[in-house]
Amino acid sequence: MSSISTRLALMFGLSVALIVSVCAVVLQGSLKDSLQQQMHNELELRHSLLDPLLMSRESRGSWLKVVDKLSAMAPDDGPDALHWVISDDPFYSYGGPAPFGVDWNRVPDGFSILPPQKGCCPLNVLITTIPPAGSRPALRFVVALDSTPYMKTLGDFTHNLTAISIAGTLLVALLGYGIARLGLWPVRRLSSQAHGLAPGDTGQRLDTARLPPEIRDLAVSFNGVLARQEVAWRQLESFNADVAHELRTPLTNLMGQTQMGLAVGQDVQEFKELLQSNMEELERMTSIVNDMLFLSHAQVGRMAMDLSEISLREEAQKTTEYVEPLFVEKDLTITLQGDARALADRRLFHRALANLLENAACHADVRSEVTIDMESRDGKAYLSVSNVGQPIDPQHLPRLFERFFRAESSRSQSDRHHGLGLSIVKAIAVIHQGDVFVRSEDGVNTFGFWILAQSST
Ligand SMILES: Nc1ncnc2c1ncn2[C@@H]1O[C@H](COP(=O)(O)OP(=O)(O)O)[C@@H](O)[C@H]1O
Ligand SMILES: [Mg+2]
């Protein structure tokens, strides 16, 4: 693909070539017309001078003066204006044989052009008939003009015009190339800036201050991409740190217990207990790793979905049965309210709701009521789980759905909770083209999500 400068230069050149060609054709045509008119005028002038002379001669005696006059007008060096007098009486004939073997009787009176022959230019001819007078018969008087000098003028003009047109076109193409390169200078500057961006330094941006408006938008969008990359990069960094942190606790526990088991002599029962405890740590690690895999699959859109039209209430009923034991522990009651229909993956829906219910069971006041509300509104199917509990600090609300985020300052409960439950709820809502929400009002904490609703018809 050729450069923009070359393409612009080519386009400038072609445009100029087109315009100049049209102008040249028009100019050449008008010059040709005006030369033709000039020859016509010249012929008419000669006739106006000579016709009265021929008319006034009425006898053979006076005719000889005409012959002298015409002979005197004949050019010395080659034919310029040529004269013929055609008569049935050879005495009155003048001028010798007709040029190009033309038969004068076939050429009508008035203006005509004898076509060129053998390298000669065309002859322009004006013929008049001189009526008989006295003893003189009727005559036809032919004045011919050789168009060679006129054609030469036209040829020279065409030649010069062609040379000027070609030179002009080339000059414009060359200037166009230079101008385009000059105009594209900011683009080259931008690209060298982009080349200079060092990998790893996420705070770098392109300098958009001195850019022309045409490419400023591009640079601003590019900076937007860099800014989003920076956010993603920082998230990835903190995610890595969080993963390491989460895995370190169970690993430390595992190592400590194993070292203790190896150091001190223990009986079979104690070893069994040790292995049991190790098993719990391993299960915890497996659950973290599984949750992370789930989130990463959901994020890159590689989650297999088995969509079907479901009643949120029917499915919620099944989920509550499954998490019932958690609620019994704290003597909580679950109430279901409303219903909505949606196109969703049953398995994922159960997982999201189970996470919300587990959290509610964990954070609800003892012997309180947990409510699952479902409703269809504005084409969306909403589901929320509300429980009575400690108000959540408003500054934590926007971060609750982030990975590994836990509102509790100490991670005392981290044995069972690693802070991925709500981010999984969010991921499930997002892959159903929905989103999540949270409220903490009047001692009631509400967590929920919406997905696209199905009309119940
Ligand atoms: N029903 C709730 N009431 C109060 N706080 C909650 C509730 N559900 C979640 N949270 C807060 O959100 C945090 C993140 O929840 P989640 O992602 O499920 O992680 P985890 O349950 O493993 O701590 C919890 O640590 C808790 O601080
Ligand atoms: Mg949870």
Side-chain angles (χ1 to χ4, degrees), residues 215-362:
I215 57 168
R216 190 178 303 140
D217 279 353
L218 178 73
V220 168
S221 321
F222 188 76
N223 278 348
V225 173
L226 289 180
R228 287 194 291 279
Q229 293 282 34
E230 187 179 1
V231 171
W233 178 255
R234 293 209 187 292
Q235 275 176 358
L236 196 68
E237 269 180 343
S238 71
F239 182 65
N240 287 345
D242 284 334
V243 170
H245 186 91
E246 289 302 322
L247 292 179
R248 196 171 55 181
T249 314
L251 280 173
T252 315
N253 291 349
L254 272 177
M255 280 175 61
Q257 288 165 14
T258 313
Q259 271 167 356
M260 219 166 67
L262 288 174
V264 195
Q266 304 202 7
D267 61 25
V268 174
Q269 185 55 33
E270 278 173 331
F271 263 121
K272 269 193 176 166
E273 278 168 19
L274 182 83
L275 287 178
Q276 184 62 41
S277 161
N278 282 3
M279 191 64 200
E280 278 167 19
E281 295 297 347
L282 289 170
E283 273 168 1
R284 182 171 138 63
M285 285 166 67
T286 310
S287 118
I288 294 179
V289 170
N290 282 345
D291 283 354
M292 277 163 45
L293 271 179
F294 180 93
L295 285 170
S296 101
H297 279 164
Q299 196 174 27
V300 296
R302 240 194 287 138
M303 183 74 69
M305 294 239 279
D306 180 13
L307 292 178
S308 56
E309 197 187 323
I310 59 167
S311 150
L312 299 197
R313 192 184 179 102
E314 280 170 23
E315 301 304 321
Q317 192 74 51
K318 293 179 203 161
T319 321
T320 50
E321 284 161 20
Y322 170 72
V323 293
E324 189 100 57
L326 292 175
F327 285 75
V328 176
E329 269 176 37
K330 275 184 154 180
D331 202 5
L332 301 169
T333 50
I334 306 184
T335 317
L336 280 85
Q337 287 178 354
D339 191 9
R341 299 189 73 79
L343 198 62
D345 181 306
R346 275 200 174 77
R347 193 177 52 88
L348 296 177
F349 175 80
H350 283 297
R351 184 159 187 183
L353 180 55
N355 283 1
L356 292 180
L357 288 174
E358 271 172 28
N359 283 353
C362 174

Side-chain angles (χ1 to χ4, degrees), residues 15 21 42 80 148 151 186 239 255 258 351 394 436 447 457:
S15 314
S21 313
E42 177 74 24
D80 177 11
T148 303
M151 287 299 136
F239 182 65
M255 280 175 61
T258 313
R351 184 159 187 183
V436 289
F447 287 77
T457 49

Side-chain angles (χ1 to χ4, degrees), residues 359 363 387 392 400 405-408 417-419 421-422 445 447:
N359 283 353
H363 297 279
N387 68 279
I392 304 171
L400 290 176
F405 183 82
R406 276 158 290 184
E408 297 79 27
H417 301 277
H418 41 267
L422 288 180
N445 297 327
F447 287 77

Side-chain angles (χ1 to χ4, degrees), residues 115-180:
Q117 272 184 18
K118 283 189 237 126
C120 297
C121 290
L123 274 185
N124 289 3
V125 181
L126 187 59
I127 303 178
T128 49
T129 296
I130 309 285
S135 60
R136 176 178 58 75
L139 309 169
R140 292 185 78 214
F141 182 40
V142 180
V143 181
L145 205 60
D146 182 7
S147 64
T148 303
Y150 297 90
M151 287 299 136
K152 187 170 177 319
T153 307
L154 188 67
D156 288 350
F157 175 78
T158 309
H159 183 263
N160 288 343
L161 199 63
T162 311
I164 290 171
S165 303
I166 292 172
T169 304
L170 288 177
L171 199 70
V172 167
L174 215 66
L175 277 176
Y177 182 78
I179 289 170

Side-chain angles (χ1 to χ4, degrees), residues 359-376:
N359 283 353
C362 174
H363 297 279
D365 290 350
V366 183
R367 276 186 295 284
S368 63
E369 187 183 35
V370 174
T371 320
I372 306 176
D373 278 292
M374 288 145 289
E375 67 165 323
S376 188

